[in-house]
């Protein structure tokens, strides 16, 4: 059997079973394929099989078995140059995740750094979370919680958790995690750059928070949206915080005078949006 036929009958079949949730059946086929790898002598194909079987182990919660396969995957990377360097990065990132879950935080951080050495141009920090938990990032957040519970100095996991929280829309919590990563990181310029980029993106979005965007709100902060209907001249204001939302209509009021009064009362304008029929101004005020 040549490698193409072998891949079609073994690896791809096992992958389909794994994606359908039939992990034990997939693992059996991966194992059968791996046992024939010495005869095929193809490092990339061997790497694919180890990474894939480890994913099946990972889905079953068998982290130590997964970690063993990731060790084999990294060994393939170290011993053989790969034509697809993404495999190299995946091997290190997947092993980093398994190491973190099993308590080897020092090894996890080193694997992430090794992946960055392979290709430092892109933001690969945290991307392994999305590969390992593509359909449920709450599991990625749990992984980070477990890692940080074991060692609060594992500062990269504040960043990883921030990435996952940002992806699920929990922006206030993500912002806190980026702040913790920045505070904890010992002269890590790459992590510093990434945290500040994500913080800037979140703060820009939060500056124009709408009453419906409850995930964006911070505690002890009041928000308001001043809506001016440019056709009728009617001014309406939404006042809201995390717990409540109240709308008031002020009728035909001069927009500039109303905004000046808000600022005199301690509100800060954070953004504006315009459309053909209305103009919105957004304000925030922190409660001491």
């Amino acid at each position: 059997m040549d490698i193409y036929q072998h891949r079609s009958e073994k690896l791809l079949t096992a992958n389909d079973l794994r994606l359908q949730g039939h992990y034990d059946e997939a693992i059996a086929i991966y194992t059968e394929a791996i046992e024939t790898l010495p005869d095929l002598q193809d490092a990339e194909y061997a790497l694919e099989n180890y990474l894939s079987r480890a994913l099946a182990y990972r889905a079953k919660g068998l982290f130590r078995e997964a970690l063993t396969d990731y060790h084999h995957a990294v060994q393939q990377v170290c011993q053989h140059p790969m034509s697809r360097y993404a495999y190299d990065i995946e091997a290190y990132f997947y092993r980093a995740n398994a190491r973190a879950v099993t308590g080897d935080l020092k090894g996890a951080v080193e694997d992430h750094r090794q992946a960055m050495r392979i290709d430092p141009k892109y933001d690969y920090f945290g991307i392994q979370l999305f590969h390992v938990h593509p359909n449920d990032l709450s599991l990625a957040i749990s992984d980070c919680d477990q890692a940080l519970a074991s060692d609060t100095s594992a500062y990269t996991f504040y960043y990883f958790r921030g990435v996952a929280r940002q992806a699920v829309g929990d922006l206030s919590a993500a912002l806190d995690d980026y702040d913790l990563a920045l505070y904890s990181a010992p002269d890590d310029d790459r992590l510093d750059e990434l945290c500040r980029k994500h913080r800037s993106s979140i703060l820009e979005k939060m500056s124009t928070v709408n009453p419906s965007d409850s995930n964006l709100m911070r505690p002890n902060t009041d928000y308001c949206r001043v809506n001016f209907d440019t056709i009728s001249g009617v001014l309406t204001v939404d006042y809201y915080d995390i717990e409540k939302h109240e709308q008031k209509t002020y009728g035909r009021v001069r927009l500039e005078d109303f905004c000046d009064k808000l600022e005199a009362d301690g509100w800060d304008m954070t953004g504006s949006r315009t459309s053909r029929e209305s103009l919105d101004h957004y304000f925030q005020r922190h409660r001491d």
Side-chain angles (χ1 to χ4, degrees):
M1 183 185 301
D2 63 29
I3 192 168
Y4 300 104
Q5 183 181 358
H6 195 280
R7 190 174 191 276
S8 176
E9 294 184 9
K10 301 297 183 182
L11 178 65
L12 297 185
T13 299
N15 284 347
D16 287 340
L17 288 168
R18 174 172 56 82
L19 293 173
Q20 294 167 14
H22 303 302
Y23 303 121
D24 290 332
E25 295 175 52
I27 289 169
I29 297 176
Y30 288 133
T31 301
E32 183 182 346
I34 286 170
E35 289 173 352
T36 63
L37 289 178
D39 297 330
L40 296 172
Q41 296 184 345
D42 187 293
E44 287 188 13
Y45 183 57
L47 183 56
E48 276 191 282
N49 275 280
Y50 282 122
L51 290 176
S52 299
R53 187 173 69 175
L55 281 175
Y57 281 137
R58 181 71 178 78
K60 284 174 61 65
L62 302 175
F63 300 112
R64 296 196 180 280
E65 289 83 349
L67 186 57
T68 298
D69 274 353
Y70 292 137
H71 287 322
H72 286 302
V74 170
Q75 187 177 32
Q76 293 294 323
V77 169
C78 294
Q79 293 178 349
H80 307 280
M82 300 289 170
S83 61
R84 288 181 55 195
Y85 71 81
Y87 282 161
D88 301 28
I89 295 171
E90 287 176 9
Y92 284 106
F93 270 131
Y94 282 133
R95 189 172 72 172
N97 181 271
R99 279 179 159 176
V101 172
T102 55
D104 182 11
L105 300 180
K106 182 178 179 181
V109 171
E110 180 53 40
D111 275 345
H112 282 289
R113 289 176 177 165
Q114 180 59 35
M116 290 295 295
R117 294 186 193 107
I118 294 171
D119 189 346
K121 297 189 295 298
Y122 298 102
D123 179 4
Y124 285 111
F125 268 127
I127 287 188
Q128 52 90 17
L129 296 175
F130 297 89
H131 285 301
V132 174
H133 304 297
N135 299 315
D136 190 351
L137 286 177
S138 64
L139 294 174
I141 294 170
S142 297
D143 282 355
C144 293
D145 289 342
Q146 184 173 342
L148 289 165
S150 301
D151 184 356
T152 55
S153 67
Y155 60 92
T156 53
F157 288 93
Y158 288 120
Y159 176 83
F160 304 150
R161 191 171 65 184
V163 170
R165 283 174 164 172
Q166 186 175 356
V168 299
D170 191 359
L171 299 191
S172 293
L175 198 63
D176 291 340
D177 277 337
Y178 294 139
D179 287 339
L180 286 167
L182 286 169
Y183 178 79
S184 306
D187 301 320
D188 192 326
D189 293 339
R190 179 59 174 164
L191 188 67
D192 185 278
E193 175 190 353
L194 293 170
C195 284
R196 293 186 187 281
K197 180 183 72 174
H198 288 300
R199 287 187 81 263
S200 177
S201 174
I202 289 176
L203 290 172
E204 181 180 358
K205 187 170 185 179
M206 291 177 75
S207 71
T208 56
V209 60
N210 289 313
S212 61
D213 296 332
S214 59
N215 283 331
L216 311 188
M217 297 180 193
R218 289 180 162 183
N220 300 318
T221 301
D222 295 319
Y223 301 88
C224 76
R225 177 181 60 183
V226 179
N227 174 262
F228 182 73
D229 190 313
T230 56
I231 296 176
S232 67
V234 172
L235 187 145
T236 304
V237 182
D238 291 286
Y239 297 96
Y240 48 98
D241 58 22
I242 290 177
E243 298 179 349
K244 66 180 183 297
H245 170 221
E246 180 183 9
Q247 187 178 84
K248 293 184 179 180
T249 300
Y250 290 85
R252 296 176 64 86
V253 177
R254 191 169 181 268
L255 176 63
E256 290 79 5
D257 292 342
F258 190 88
C259 291
D260 288 344
K261 185 178 184 306
L262 281 177
E263 291 180 335
D265 290 340
W267 292 86
D268 296 318
M269 184 183 291
T270 58
S272 299
R273 288 180 180 173
T274 60
S275 68
R276 293 177 58 185
E277 299 178 351
S278 66
L279 172 62
D280 289 336
H281 288 322
Y282 296 86
F283 292 83
Q284 293 182 15
R285 181 174 62 182
H286 184 71
R287 296 195 301 270
D288 295 329

